[in-house]
Amino acid sequence: MDVLRPTLIRIGGRVYRKNLIQEQACQHEEEEDFCAGPSDCGDEPCDAFVVEETEKGFQCRVEVPSPLYKYIIGKKGETKKRLETETRTSISIPKPGVEGEIVITGQHRSGIISARTRIDVLLDSFRKKQPFTHFLSFALNQPAIQEKFLQFKEEVLEKCSKDHGVSGSLFQNPAKLHLTLGTLVLLNEQEIQKACDLLQRCKEDFVDQIAGGKPLTVEVAGVEYMNDDPAMTDVLYAKVHMKDGSDRLQVIADQLVERFVASGLMLKEWDRVKLHATVMNTLFRKDPSAEERNNTMTGKSSFKERESFNGRNILKLFENFYFGEVQLDSVHLSQRFSSDASGYYATSGQL
Protein backbone atom coordinates (compact mmCIF):
# COMPACT_ATOMS: atom_id res chain seq x y z
CA MET A 1 0.00 0.00 0.00
CA ASP A 2 1.21 3.52 -0.84
CA VAL A 3 1.30 5.31 2.53
CA LEU A 4 0.67 8.62 0.75
CA ARG A 5 -2.46 7.21 -0.91
CA PRO A 6 -4.08 4.87 1.64
CA THR A 7 -7.27 2.95 0.91
CA LEU A 8 -10.31 5.01 1.93
CA ILE A 9 -13.52 3.53 3.32
CA ARG A 10 -16.82 5.46 3.44
CA ILE A 11 -19.12 4.79 6.40
CA GLY A 12 -22.14 6.86 7.36
CA GLY A 13 -21.09 9.83 5.27
CA ARG A 14 -17.59 9.92 6.79
CA VAL A 15 -14.31 8.82 5.22
CA TYR A 16 -11.74 6.69 7.07
CA ARG A 17 -8.34 5.43 6.04
CA LYS A 18 -7.56 1.73 6.13
CA ASN A 19 -4.24 1.49 7.96
CA LEU A 20 -1.47 -0.87 6.94
CA ILE A 21 -1.30 -3.95 9.16
CA GLN A 22 1.54 -6.33 9.84
CA GLU A 23 1.71 -9.51 7.78
CA GLN A 24 1.66 -11.59 10.94
CA ALA A 25 -1.84 -10.41 11.76
CA CYS A 26 -3.12 -11.69 8.41
CA GLN A 27 -2.46 -15.34 9.17
CA HIS A 28 -5.98 -15.70 10.52
CA GLU A 29 -8.96 -13.88 9.05
CA GLU A 30 -10.32 -13.12 12.50
CA GLU A 31 -7.14 -11.33 13.49
CA GLU A 32 -7.26 -8.77 10.69
CA ASP A 33 -7.76 -5.32 12.14
CA PHE A 34 -8.49 -1.91 10.74
CA CYS A 35 -7.94 1.25 12.73
CA ALA A 36 -9.32 4.72 12.27
CA GLY A 37 -6.69 7.29 13.13
CA PRO A 38 -7.03 8.99 16.51
CA SER A 39 -7.90 12.33 14.95
CA ASP A 40 -10.62 10.97 12.67
CA CYS A 41 -13.47 11.48 15.08
CA GLY A 42 -12.02 12.20 18.49
CA ASP A 43 -11.74 15.99 18.38
CA GLU A 44 -15.20 16.74 17.00
CA PRO A 45 -18.78 15.59 17.55
CA CYS A 46 -19.45 12.40 15.61
CA ASP A 47 -22.97 12.61 14.17
CA ALA A 48 -22.82 9.23 12.39
CA PHE A 49 -24.07 7.49 15.56
CA VAL A 50 -25.49 8.25 19.00
CA VAL A 51 -23.40 8.21 22.17
CA GLU A 52 -25.59 8.18 25.28
CA GLU A 53 -24.56 9.53 28.67
CA THR A 54 -25.25 7.18 31.56
CA GLU A 55 -24.79 7.24 35.34
CA LYS A 56 -21.46 5.46 34.96
CA GLY A 57 -20.17 7.24 31.86
CA PHE A 58 -21.14 6.76 28.24
CA GLN A 59 -22.44 4.02 25.97
CA CYS A 60 -23.16 3.37 22.31
CA ARG A 61 -25.29 0.63 20.75
CA VAL A 62 -24.42 -0.99 17.43
CA GLU A 63 -26.78 -3.15 15.39
CA VAL A 64 -24.67 -6.00 14.01
CA PRO A 65 -25.88 -9.19 12.28
CA SER A 66 -24.84 -12.24 14.32
CA PRO A 67 -22.68 -13.75 11.49
CA LEU A 68 -20.31 -10.79 11.91
CA TYR A 69 -19.77 -11.12 15.68
CA LYS A 70 -16.73 -13.35 15.16
CA TYR A 71 -14.85 -10.59 13.37
CA ILE A 72 -15.16 -8.29 16.36
CA ILE A 73 -14.24 -11.06 18.80
CA GLY A 74 -11.27 -12.34 16.79
CA LYS A 75 -9.25 -15.49 17.37
CA LYS A 76 -9.40 -16.40 21.06
CA GLY A 77 -11.03 -13.02 21.72
CA GLU A 78 -7.88 -11.10 20.78
CA THR A 79 -9.52 -8.45 18.56
CA LYS A 80 -12.12 -7.60 21.19
CA LYS A 81 -9.49 -7.43 23.95
CA ARG A 82 -7.29 -5.17 21.85
CA LEU A 83 -10.18 -2.83 21.06
CA GLU A 84 -11.15 -2.62 24.73
CA THR A 85 -7.58 -2.02 25.87
CA GLU A 86 -6.71 0.61 23.28
CA THR A 87 -9.98 2.55 23.64
CA ARG A 88 -10.46 1.96 27.38
CA THR A 89 -13.97 0.65 26.87
CA SER A 90 -15.95 -2.51 27.54
CA ILE A 91 -17.63 -4.22 24.59
CA SER A 92 -20.62 -6.51 25.21
CA ILE A 93 -21.46 -8.90 22.38
CA PRO A 94 -24.55 -11.19 22.26
CA LYS A 95 -24.07 -14.95 22.18
CA PRO A 96 -23.28 -16.51 18.78
CA GLY A 97 -26.40 -16.88 16.65
CA VAL A 98 -28.46 -14.56 18.84
CA GLU A 99 -29.49 -11.34 17.09
CA GLY A 100 -29.04 -8.23 19.20
CA GLU A 101 -27.01 -5.11 19.76
CA ILE A 102 -23.34 -4.78 20.61
CA VAL A 103 -23.02 -2.33 23.47
CA ILE A 104 -19.89 -0.23 24.02
CA THR A 105 -19.49 1.34 27.48
CA GLY A 106 -16.77 3.48 28.99
CA GLN A 107 -15.84 6.45 31.14
CA HIS A 108 -14.90 8.76 28.28
CA ARG A 109 -16.93 9.83 25.28
CA SER A 110 -13.82 9.91 23.09
CA GLY A 111 -13.10 6.26 23.91
CA ILE A 112 -16.63 5.25 22.95
CA ILE A 113 -16.35 7.11 19.65
CA SER A 114 -12.96 5.53 18.91
CA ALA A 115 -14.22 2.01 19.64
CA ARG A 116 -17.39 2.51 17.60
CA THR A 117 -15.46 3.93 14.66
CA ARG A 118 -13.00 1.03 14.66
CA ILE A 119 -15.83 -1.51 14.90
CA ASP A 120 -17.60 0.14 11.96
CA VAL A 121 -14.48 0.01 9.80
CA LEU A 122 -13.83 -3.60 10.84
CA LEU A 123 -17.38 -4.66 10.01
CA ASP A 124 -17.39 -2.78 6.72
CA SER A 125 -14.25 -4.58 5.62
CA PHE A 126 -15.46 -8.06 6.50
CA ARG A 127 -18.97 -7.46 5.14
CA LYS A 128 -17.37 -6.86 1.74
CA LYS A 129 -15.86 -10.35 1.95
CA GLN A 130 -19.21 -12.06 2.45
CA PRO A 131 -20.79 -13.73 -0.60
CA PHE A 132 -23.92 -11.89 -1.71
CA THR A 133 -27.18 -13.35 -0.43
CA HIS A 134 -29.80 -11.42 -2.42
CA PHE A 135 -30.10 -9.40 -5.60
CA LEU A 136 -32.55 -7.00 -7.23
CA SER A 137 -33.96 -8.53 -10.39
CA PHE A 138 -36.50 -8.32 -13.18
CA ALA A 139 -37.84 -11.78 -14.06
CA LEU A 140 -37.54 -12.74 -17.74
CA ASN A 141 -38.93 -16.26 -17.35
CA GLN A 142 -42.27 -15.75 -19.07
CA PRO A 143 -43.34 -18.85 -21.09
CA ALA A 144 -42.75 -17.25 -24.50
CA ILE A 145 -39.23 -16.16 -23.54
CA GLN A 146 -38.44 -19.59 -22.11
CA GLU A 147 -39.61 -21.25 -25.32
CA LYS A 148 -37.38 -19.03 -27.48
CA PHE A 149 -34.45 -19.55 -25.10
CA LEU A 150 -34.80 -23.33 -25.43
CA GLN A 151 -34.84 -22.88 -29.22
CA PHE A 152 -31.66 -20.80 -28.93
CA LYS A 153 -30.02 -23.53 -26.83
CA GLU A 154 -31.02 -26.26 -29.26
CA GLU A 155 -29.70 -24.35 -32.28
CA VAL A 156 -26.43 -23.42 -30.56
CA LEU A 157 -25.75 -27.04 -29.65
CA GLU A 158 -26.70 -28.14 -33.15
CA LYS A 159 -24.43 -25.66 -34.92
CA CYS A 160 -21.63 -24.90 -32.43
CA SER A 161 -21.20 -27.98 -30.21
CA LYS A 162 -17.79 -28.71 -31.78
CA ASP A 163 -16.43 -25.32 -30.74
CA HIS A 164 -14.04 -25.47 -27.82
CA GLY A 165 -15.78 -25.60 -24.43
CA VAL A 166 -19.37 -25.43 -25.71
CA SER A 167 -21.73 -27.86 -23.99
CA GLY A 168 -25.33 -28.05 -22.80
CA SER A 169 -24.28 -27.53 -19.20
CA LEU A 170 -23.33 -23.89 -19.85
CA PHE A 171 -26.90 -22.70 -20.38
CA GLN A 172 -29.01 -20.84 -17.84
CA ASN A 173 -32.04 -22.57 -16.32
CA PRO A 174 -34.88 -21.09 -18.43
CA ALA A 175 -37.08 -20.69 -15.34
CA LYS A 176 -34.43 -18.39 -13.85
CA LEU A 177 -33.83 -16.03 -16.76
CA HIS A 178 -33.55 -12.54 -15.31
CA LEU A 179 -31.97 -9.10 -15.30
CA THR A 180 -29.73 -8.43 -12.30
CA LEU A 181 -29.69 -4.80 -11.16
CA GLY A 182 -27.39 -5.21 -8.16
CA THR A 183 -26.34 -7.62 -5.42
CA LEU A 184 -26.77 -7.33 -1.65
CA VAL A 185 -25.36 -8.95 1.49
CA LEU A 186 -28.33 -9.25 3.88
CA LEU A 187 -27.33 -11.22 6.96
CA ASN A 188 -30.48 -11.23 9.10
CA GLU A 189 -34.23 -10.64 8.94
CA GLN A 190 -33.85 -7.00 9.98
CA GLU A 191 -31.62 -6.26 7.00
CA ILE A 192 -33.98 -8.09 4.64
CA GLN A 193 -36.90 -6.03 5.97
CA LYS A 194 -34.88 -2.84 5.58
CA ALA A 195 -34.26 -3.72 1.92
CA CYS A 196 -37.97 -4.50 1.38
CA ASP A 197 -39.00 -1.19 2.95
CA LEU A 198 -36.53 0.73 0.79
CA LEU A 199 -37.84 -1.02 -2.32
CA GLN A 200 -41.37 0.17 -1.52
CA ARG A 201 -40.17 3.73 -0.94
CA CYS A 202 -38.46 3.66 -4.32
CA LYS A 203 -41.75 2.63 -5.90
CA GLU A 204 -43.52 5.60 -4.34
CA ASP A 205 -40.69 8.09 -4.90
CA PHE A 206 -39.83 7.53 -8.55
CA VAL A 207 -40.55 4.10 -10.10
CA ASP A 208 -44.29 4.64 -10.61
CA GLN A 209 -43.70 8.10 -12.03
CA ILE A 210 -41.04 6.97 -14.53
CA ALA A 211 -43.02 3.90 -15.58
CA GLY A 212 -46.23 5.91 -15.87
CA GLY A 213 -48.04 3.39 -13.70
CA LYS A 214 -47.81 0.78 -16.46
CA PRO A 215 -45.58 -2.26 -17.12
CA LEU A 216 -42.48 -1.60 -19.19
CA THR A 217 -42.52 -3.33 -22.58
CA VAL A 218 -39.03 -4.55 -23.40
CA GLU A 219 -37.51 -6.66 -26.13
CA VAL A 220 -34.85 -9.32 -25.54
CA ALA A 221 -32.79 -9.60 -28.70
CA GLY A 222 -29.22 -10.27 -29.74
CA VAL A 223 -26.31 -11.73 -27.78
CA GLU A 224 -23.06 -10.26 -26.53
CA TYR A 225 -20.10 -11.42 -24.43
CA MET A 226 -18.57 -9.97 -21.26
CA ASN A 227 -14.82 -10.26 -21.68
CA ASP A 228 -12.34 -8.96 -24.27
CA ASP A 229 -11.73 -12.10 -26.31
CA PRO A 230 -14.75 -13.92 -27.83
CA ALA A 231 -12.60 -17.02 -28.21
CA MET A 232 -12.28 -17.13 -24.41
CA THR A 233 -15.84 -16.39 -23.31
CA ASP A 234 -17.09 -16.99 -19.77
CA VAL A 235 -20.44 -15.19 -19.91
CA LEU A 236 -22.73 -14.76 -22.91
CA TYR A 237 -25.81 -12.61 -22.40
CA ALA A 238 -28.94 -11.51 -24.22
CA LYS A 239 -29.38 -7.78 -24.72
CA VAL A 240 -32.46 -6.00 -23.41
CA HIS A 241 -33.95 -2.69 -24.51
CA MET A 242 -37.21 -0.75 -24.26
CA LYS A 243 -39.51 -1.42 -27.21
CA ASP A 244 -40.35 2.30 -27.50
CA GLY A 245 -36.66 3.19 -27.70
CA SER A 246 -36.72 5.17 -24.45
CA ASP A 247 -34.23 4.84 -21.61
CA ARG A 248 -36.84 4.40 -18.87
CA LEU A 249 -35.68 0.91 -17.89
CA GLN A 250 -32.09 2.15 -17.60
CA VAL A 251 -33.17 5.18 -15.54
CA ILE A 252 -35.19 3.03 -13.12
CA ALA A 253 -32.33 0.53 -12.76
CA ASP A 254 -29.75 3.27 -12.15
CA GLN A 255 -31.90 5.12 -9.61
CA LEU A 256 -32.73 1.93 -7.71
CA VAL A 257 -29.07 1.05 -7.39
CA GLU A 258 -28.22 4.63 -6.42
CA ARG A 259 -30.78 4.51 -3.58
CA PHE A 260 -29.57 1.14 -2.33
CA VAL A 261 -25.94 2.24 -2.43
CA ALA A 262 -26.79 5.43 -0.51
CA SER A 263 -28.56 3.33 2.16
CA GLY A 264 -25.45 1.18 2.67
CA LEU A 265 -27.26 -1.99 1.57
CA MET A 266 -25.38 -2.26 -1.72
CA LEU A 267 -21.82 -1.52 -2.87
CA LYS A 268 -21.29 0.74 -5.85
CA GLU A 269 -19.67 -1.24 -8.67
CA TRP A 270 -20.40 0.69 -11.86
CA ASP A 271 -21.57 4.16 -12.87
CA ARG A 272 -24.46 2.59 -14.77
CA VAL A 273 -26.28 -0.73 -14.47
CA LYS A 274 -25.37 -3.05 -17.34
CA LEU A 275 -28.73 -4.41 -18.47
CA HIS A 276 -28.15 -8.00 -19.53
CA ALA A 277 -29.72 -11.44 -19.22
CA THR A 278 -27.16 -14.21 -18.83
CA VAL A 279 -27.87 -17.13 -21.17
CA MET A 280 -24.54 -19.00 -20.93
CA ASN A 281 -22.05 -19.00 -18.07
CA THR A 282 -19.02 -21.22 -17.45
CA LEU A 283 -19.95 -21.33 -13.76
CA PHE A 284 -22.89 -23.51 -14.83
CA ARG A 285 -20.56 -26.09 -16.38
CA LYS A 286 -21.23 -29.56 -14.99
CA ASP A 287 -18.80 -30.15 -12.17
CA PRO A 288 -19.71 -31.89 -8.88
CA SER A 289 -18.22 -29.02 -6.89
CA ALA A 290 -19.12 -26.08 -9.17
CA GLU A 291 -22.21 -24.93 -7.27
CA GLU A 292 -20.52 -25.46 -3.92
CA ARG A 293 -17.45 -23.49 -4.97
CA ASN A 294 -19.55 -20.65 -6.26
CA ASN A 295 -21.66 -20.67 -3.11
CA THR A 296 -18.76 -20.48 -0.71
CA MET A 297 -16.66 -17.88 -2.48
CA THR A 298 -16.01 -14.88 -0.26
CA GLY A 299 -14.16 -12.57 -2.54
CA LYS A 300 -11.28 -15.02 -2.94
CA SER A 301 -10.41 -16.87 -6.13
CA SER A 302 -12.19 -20.16 -6.73
CA PHE A 303 -10.38 -23.43 -6.24
CA LYS A 304 -10.41 -24.20 -9.93
CA GLU A 305 -10.11 -21.83 -12.88
CA ARG A 306 -13.22 -21.54 -15.04
CA GLU A 307 -12.96 -23.24 -18.44
CA SER A 308 -13.85 -20.64 -21.05
CA PHE A 309 -15.56 -21.47 -24.34
CA ASN A 310 -15.07 -20.23 -27.89
CA GLY A 311 -18.06 -18.00 -28.56
CA ARG A 312 -17.06 -16.64 -31.97
CA ASN A 313 -19.45 -18.75 -34.02
CA ILE A 314 -22.30 -18.25 -31.55
CA LEU A 315 -21.84 -14.49 -31.74
CA LYS A 316 -21.74 -14.59 -35.55
CA LEU A 317 -24.71 -16.92 -36.04
CA PHE A 318 -26.97 -15.57 -33.26
CA GLU A 319 -25.98 -11.90 -33.24
CA ASN A 320 -29.61 -10.83 -33.79
CA PHE A 321 -31.48 -13.80 -32.27
CA TYR A 322 -34.90 -12.63 -31.09
CA PHE A 323 -35.89 -14.03 -27.69
CA GLY A 324 -39.14 -12.11 -27.55
CA GLU A 325 -41.07 -9.29 -25.96
CA VAL A 326 -41.92 -9.11 -22.28
CA GLN A 327 -43.86 -6.89 -19.88
CA LEU A 328 -41.84 -5.92 -16.79
CA ASP A 329 -44.18 -5.03 -13.94
CA SER A 330 -42.19 -5.76 -10.79
CA VAL A 331 -38.71 -5.65 -9.28
CA HIS A 332 -37.86 -8.62 -7.06
CA LEU A 333 -35.61 -8.82 -4.02
CA SER A 334 -34.46 -12.31 -5.00
CA GLN A 335 -32.77 -14.81 -2.73
CA ARG A 336 -29.65 -16.45 -4.08
CA PHE A 337 -29.58 -20.27 -4.42
CA SER A 338 -33.34 -20.64 -4.03
CA SER A 339 -36.44 -21.52 -6.06
CA ASP A 340 -40.14 -20.82 -5.74
CA ALA A 341 -43.05 -22.84 -7.14
CA SER A 342 -42.49 -21.42 -10.64
CA GLY A 343 -38.80 -22.32 -10.61
CA TYR A 344 -37.73 -18.68 -10.31
CA TYR A 345 -35.72 -17.42 -7.35
CA ALA A 346 -37.60 -17.15 -4.07
CA THR A 347 -38.64 -13.56 -3.45
CA SER A 348 -38.11 -11.78 -0.14
CA GLY A 349 -39.93 -8.69 -1.37
CA GLN A 350 -40.98 -6.89 -4.54
CA LEU A 351 -42.48 -3.69 -5.92
Side-chain angles (χ1 to χ4, degrees):
M1 180 184 75
D2 186 343
V3 295
L4 297 179
R5 295 183 177 85
T7 301
L8 301 179
I9 300 175
R10 296 179 181 273
I11 301 175
R14 305 182 71 87
V15 180
Y16 303 102
R17 64 177 178 270
K18 176 180 173 182
N19 287 349
L20 184 65
I21 56 176
Q22 297 179 356
E23 288 296 322
Q24 183 178 359
C26 295
Q27 292 175 356
H28 301 282
E29 187 176 61
E30 293 83 1
E31 290 183 343
E32 192 170 354
D33 193 17
F34 299 89
C35 302
S39 62
D40 285 335
C41 201
D43 298 328
E44 58 180 337
C46 192
D47 54 7
F49 45 81
V50 177
V51 177
E52 303 171 319
E53 188 169 4
T54 66
E55 294 180 358
K56 297 182 180 180
F58 298 88
Q59 73 173 18
C60 181
R61 298 178 178 274
V62 193
E63 290 188 5
V64 179
S66 58
L68 297 181
Y69 292 165
K70 62 182 180 181
Y71 300 118
I72 303 172
I73 297 170
K75 184 182 180 183
K76 298 180 180 179
E78 291 176 3
T79 300
K80 177 175 176 288
K81 291 175 184 175
R82 185 165 62 250
L83 283 170
E84 291 176 322
T85 300
E86 295 178 1
T87 62
R88 297 182 180 180
T89 59
S90 176
I91 302 172
S92 176
I93 301 174
K95 294 180 179 179
V98 177
E99 297 297 336
E101 294 179 320
I102 289 177
V103 182
I104 309 166
T105 56
Q107 296 293 317
H108 304 286
R109 179 183 175 86
S110 60
I112 299 292
I113 291 174
S114 177
R116 170 61 191 265
T117 300
R118 291 176 63 173
I119 286 174
D120 282 347
V121 175
L122 192 66
L123 292 174
D124 181 73
S125 175
F126 282 110
R127 179 180 281 276
K128 290 177 180 177
K129 295 184 178 182
Q130 305 300 309
F132 75 87
T133 60
H134 295 74
F135 57 99
L136 294 182
S137 73
F138 282 107
L140 297 177
N141 64 343
Q142 291 75 1
I145 299 291
Q146 289 195 48
E147 185 177 341
K148 291 292 288 186
F149 170 78
L150 290 173
Q151 178 188 332
F152 167 78
K153 177 180 178 180
E154 182 180 345
E155 292 184 13
V156 167
L157 292 176
E158 179 183 329
K159 299 174 182 179
C160 306
S161 60
K162 293 183 179 179
D163 294 343
H164 175 75
V166 175
S167 73
S169 62
L170 298 178
F171 292 83
Q172 173 68 281
N173 177 346
K176 292 192 172 182
L177 287 167
H178 67 278
L179 292 178
T180 296
L181 305 186
T183 59
L184 306 94
V185 176
L186 305 176
L187 299 177
N188 59 19
E189 290 301 321
Q190 290 86 342
E191 292 188 346
I192 293 173
Q193 188 58 53
K194 184 179 178 181
C196 291
D197 292 344
L198 179 56
L199 201 54
Q200 289 303 315
R201 288 199 299 275
C202 289
K203 179 180 187 297
E204 298 164 3
D205 291 348
F206 61 86
V207 173
D208 282 347
Q209 181 180 355
I210 297 172
K214 299 177 181 179
L216 299 177
T217 302
V218 303
E219 290 183 317
V220 185
V223 293
E224 191 55 86
Y225 63 105
M226 282 290 189
N227 52 306
D228 298 327
D229 184 0
M232 297 290 289
T233 299
D234 279 319
V235 176
L236 191 79
Y237 63 89
K239 295 182 284 188
V240 180
H241 61 269
M242 288 289 298
K243 186 176 182 180
D244 63 9
S246 72
D247 64 350
R248 289 184 296 157
L249 177 60
Q250 184 71 56
V251 171
I252 288 174
D254 289 341
Q255 290 196 20
L256 278 169
V257 170
E258 185 179 329
R259 282 290 187 93
F260 273 78
V261 169
S263 74
L265 289 170
M266 187 180 290
L267 295 177
K268 185 177 180 64
E269 296 184 78
W270 315 104
D271 291 333
R272 300 184 74 205
V273 175
K274 187 176 183 64
L275 296 172
H276 68 284
T278 298
V279 293
M280 297 175 70
N281 191 329
T282 53
L283 282 178
F284 301 154
R285 191 182 298 281
K286 282 189 175 177
D287 179 334
S289 62
E291 181 73 4
E292 181 182 349
R293 287 190 289 107
N294 191 32
N295 192 4
T296 56
M297 281 177 63
T298 58
K300 301 174 183 177
S301 60
S302 58
F303 299 118
K304 182 180 179 182
E305 290 296 323
R306 296 163 69 163
E307 181 189 347
S308 301
F309 65 93
N310 187 343
R312 284 176 174 168
N313 285 332
I314 298 174
L315 290 162
K316 184 185 301 182
L317 296 171
F318 300 92
E319 179 182 7
N320 298 310
F321 187 90
Y322 189 71
F323 291 90
E325 178 182 306
V326 62
Q327 304 284 319
L328 300 182
D329 58 4
S330 61
V331 179
H332 300 262
L333 177 61
S334 301
Q335 184 179 333
R336 194 181 185 192
F337 304 117
S338 67
S339 298
D340 61 14
S342 73
Y344 192 66
Y345 299 94
T347 299
S348 298
Q350 69 183 70
L351 63 79

